[in-house]
Amino acid sequence: MRILRRTVLKTLAAAPLLPLITHKAAAAPRAVTLTAAPAKQRLVPDYPETEIWGFNGAVPGPELRFRQCETARIIVENRLTEETTVHWHGLRVPNAMDGVPHLTQPPVAKGGRFVYEFSLPDAGTYWYHPHLRGHEQVARGLYGAFIVEEREPIRVDRDVTWVLSDWQLMPDAQQRGDFDNLMEMAHAGRIGNTVTVNGKFTAADGTFAVRSGERIRLRLINAAVARIFLLRFPGHEPRVIACDGQAVEPHSAPADGLELGPGMRVDLVLDCMQAQGSRHDINDDANPRRVQRVIALAYNDEAPLRSKPLDAPVLLAPNPLPEPDLARAVRHDILFQGGAMGTLREAELEGKRLPLSTLARQHGLAWAINGITVKEHAHAPLLTFKRGASVVLAMNNETSWPHPIHLHGHVFRVIARDGRPTRYREWADTVLMGPRERVDIAFVADNPGDWMFHCHILAHQHGGMMTVFRVT
C-alpha cells in the first residue's frame, strides 16, 4: 500500500498539470489480515528489545490505506493470551463492525478470528486499536494508522504519517507491568517516560529527513493511552487542514502549540523552507516544567526543490456528513465527574449508590458520567435518540483533570467552549476538555445501534468514565 502511495505521489509531482483521477469504488472488498500477538521490538536504540503486543509483529501495526468509497475487509486473528477486539476509531461503520466487546460483538477468543467488513464513505486520517482492556492492550502496542485517501488529494511532495505514543519503561527497556494502577487511574492516567514516533524513541538524536522547499502532508495520530501532546514546530508554520480526519478551513497551527489529546488526529501542511543542512527540533511543551524534544527535522544537502512554498490549494473536500439542525436539536447535559481532587462523593453502580472510596477499593472505579459509573461495555443506554435527530450535548467537565471525549459511530461539530462559539466549528470524533471546562457539541444521530461514549484516557474509561447512547 505504501509503494502504491509513493508511486502516485511521484506521478503527481512529475506531472502537476495533469487532471486528477477520480477513483471508482472497488468491485469487491480488498482484504487485509491483522494478527494480534506478542512480539519484540527495539523501541530505544542501544537498549534490549522490548516485549510488546503488536499487529503483524510490530508497533505500530501496518498502516492500512484505502481509497474513499472502497470497501475494507479486515480479518483479525487473535494470537494473544487473552480475548480482544478491534475498534476503527473515527470511522462511521455499521454498529456490528464497531469492535466493542459484548456491546456490538462477542470478544475474539484466544486463537479465534473475526472478519470486519465496511464501506468507507469518509476520507481522512483514522486509526485502529482494541476496545477490550484497552488501557493495557493499547499500552502494550496494539494500534495502527488507518488512512482513507481522497478521491482528489491535494498536491504535496510527500504524504507522511506519525503515530505518537509513549511507554512506561524500566531500565532494562521492558514495560512496567502495573496496568491496573489505581493511583494512575484516579489521576492523569498512565503517562509514559519514553515517547516514540512510529515505534521508535527519537528524542535523543532521532531525525526526520526533509528537503528544502518540499511540501509535506503530515498526519499526526496520538495513540498514547493518556499523554496529551502540545507540539511546537520552531522555524516552521504548519497549517491545519483536517481535525480527526475531517476537513477544516486551513489555518495556522496555534502559536502556543498544537494540542493533541489521546485518540485525536490532526493533518498538517508543512512547507519546509529552511536552509540545507539545518536542523529544527519539534518539541512537546505539555509539561510546563520541562520541554521535551520529540524529533528533529533534518534538512539534507540536496538543492532546494523550490525557493518559495508550493502554490497549490490545500483545502480538502468535505466528507458527506449530515449537518445538525441546531434550532430543532434535542439537548442534554452531560456531566463528567470523579477522580482525585474532585467533588464526587458517591456514584451509581448497577443500580446501587456507593461511596467513591468503596467504588475505588472494591471495584477499581473512580469516574462517572451523570452520576453513573460502569465496569463493562454493555449496559443500559444513558440516552436514546430517534434516528435522524439532531442532538446538542452540553458537556461539563466537573473534574480536576482533562478528558478527551470520544463518540463512536458519529462525527460531531464542536460548536462552543465555555459558552463562546468556536472559530472553525470543526468536525471531530474526539474532543479534549480542560478541567472545569464546558464544551458543546452537535451531531445527527443517523447511525442506528448502541454506541460507546467515553474518555480516551483509557484508564479513565476503564475506571468508569464511559456510557452508551442508543440510536433507534
Side-chain angles (χ1 to χ4, degrees), residues 351-471:
K352 297 179 181 179
R353 303 292 299 181
L354 296 174
L356 192 61
S357 58
T358 301
L359 291 167
R361 287 196 307 267
Q362 297 185 12
H363 302 281
L365 300 171
W367 304 94
I369 297 178
N370 284 17
I372 301 171
T373 186
V374 295
K375 288 194 72 168
E376 303 295 340
H377 292 76
H379 52 86
L382 178 69
L383 296 171
T384 298
F385 307 121
K386 291 184 178 179
R387 186 176 182 180
S390 291
V391 179
V392 171
L393 300 181
M395 307 192 306
N396 288 277
N397 180 3
E398 295 187 341
T399 81
S400 299
W401 305 93
H403 301 290
I405 303 301
H406 174 51
L407 174 61
H408 288 216
H410 298 78
V411 179
F412 52 76
R413 281 200 185 276
V414 182
I415 58 175
R417 288 183 177 272
D418 287 332
R420 296 185 295 273
T422 54
R423 167 66 179 82
Y424 299 103
R425 296 183 75 249
E426 63 272 18
W427 291 104
D429 54 70
T430 310
V431 62
L432 184 61
M433 303 181 68
R436 314 296 176 185
E437 185 180 27
R438 168 177 163 162
V439 177
D440 295 354
I441 65 172
F443 63 97
V444 176
D446 64 339
N447 200 349
D450 286 357
W451 299 102
M452 286 295 300
F453 182 66
H454 63 91
C455 178
H456 221 277
I457 292 176
L458 295 179
H460 292 178
Q461 178 209 310
H462 186 68
M465 191 174 278
M466 60 178 171
T467 192
V468 169
F469 294 158
R470 176 169 291 170
V471 179

Side-chain angles (χ1 to χ4, degrees), residues 171-434:
D172 62 354
Q174 301 312 306
Q175 293 192 72
R176 207 184 71 203
D178 58 339
F179 295 97
D180 291 315
N181 185 297
L182 186 62
M183 181 69 73
E184 289 182 340
M185 183 272 290
H187 289 73
R190 185 184 176 92
I191 297 178
N193 56 16
T194 303
V195 171
T196 56
V197 179
N198 292 342
K200 295 181 180 179
F201 176 71
T202 54
D205 56 5
T207 60
F208 179 77
V210 299
R211 181 179 179 183
S212 183
E214 76 169 321
R215 171 171 288 182
I216 294 173
R217 178 175 181 169
L218 182 58
R219 303 175 187 260
L220 300 174
I221 300 172
N222 185 355
V225 294
R227 179 181 291 271
I228 297 169
F229 290 91
L230 185 64
L231 300 177
R232 296 182 189 269
F233 295 76
H236 298 78
E237 298 179 359
R239 281 177 289 171
V240 177
I241 61 169
C243 299
D244 286 357
Q246 308 301 327
V248 68
E249 178 186 333
H251 60 277
S252 297
D256 57 353
L258 182 68
E259 195 169 42
L260 203 63
M264 296 170 63
R265 294 90 60 213
V266 171
D267 286 30
L268 303 175
V269 165
L270 188 66
D271 286 307
C272 302
M273 305 308 298
Q274 295 296 328
Q276 300 160 249
S278 63
R279 177 176 166 139
H280 305 267
D281 289 348
I282 297 175
N283 298 319
D284 176 15
D285 286 359
N287 184 344
R289 293 173 293 181
R290 181 171 65 92
V291 173
Q292 181 166 336
R293 180 182 176 278
V294 175
I295 197 170
L297 299 177
Y299 282 72
N300 61 30
D301 294 326
E302 292 184 74
L305 190 61
R306 53 183 66 90
S307 60
K308 58 183 180 180
L310 179 66
D311 184 17
V314 297
L315 177 65
L316 296 171
N319 285 320
L321 303 174
E323 188 68 46
D325 183 347
L326 300 185
R328 298 186 177 184
V330 294
R331 298 172 183 267
H332 295 276
D333 290 325
I334 306 294
L335 306 181
F336 298 93
Q337 305 159 299
M341 297 176 287
T343 59
L344 187 68
R345 296 292 173 259
E346 63 177 16
E348 179 182 318
L349 173 64
E350 298 174 349
K352 297 179 181 179
R353 303 292 299 181
L354 296 174
L356 192 61
S357 58
T358 301
L359 291 167
R361 287 196 307 267
Q362 297 185 12
H363 302 281
L365 300 171
W367 304 94
I369 297 178
N370 284 17
I372 301 171
T373 186
V374 295
K375 288 194 72 168
E376 303 295 340
H377 292 76
H379 52 86
L382 178 69
L383 296 171
T384 298
F385 307 121
K386 291 184 178 179
R387 186 176 182 180
S390 291
V391 179
V392 171
L393 300 181
M395 307 192 306
N396 288 277
N397 180 3
E398 295 187 341
T399 81
S400 299
W401 305 93
H403 301 290
I405 303 301
H406 174 51
L407 174 61
H408 288 216
H410 298 78
V411 179
F412 52 76
R413 281 200 185 276
V414 182
I415 58 175
R417 288 183 177 272
D418 287 332
R420 296 185 295 273
T422 54
R423 167 66 179 82
Y424 299 103
R425 296 183 75 249
E426 63 272 18
W427 291 104
D429 54 70
T430 310
V431 62
L432 184 61
M433 303 181 68

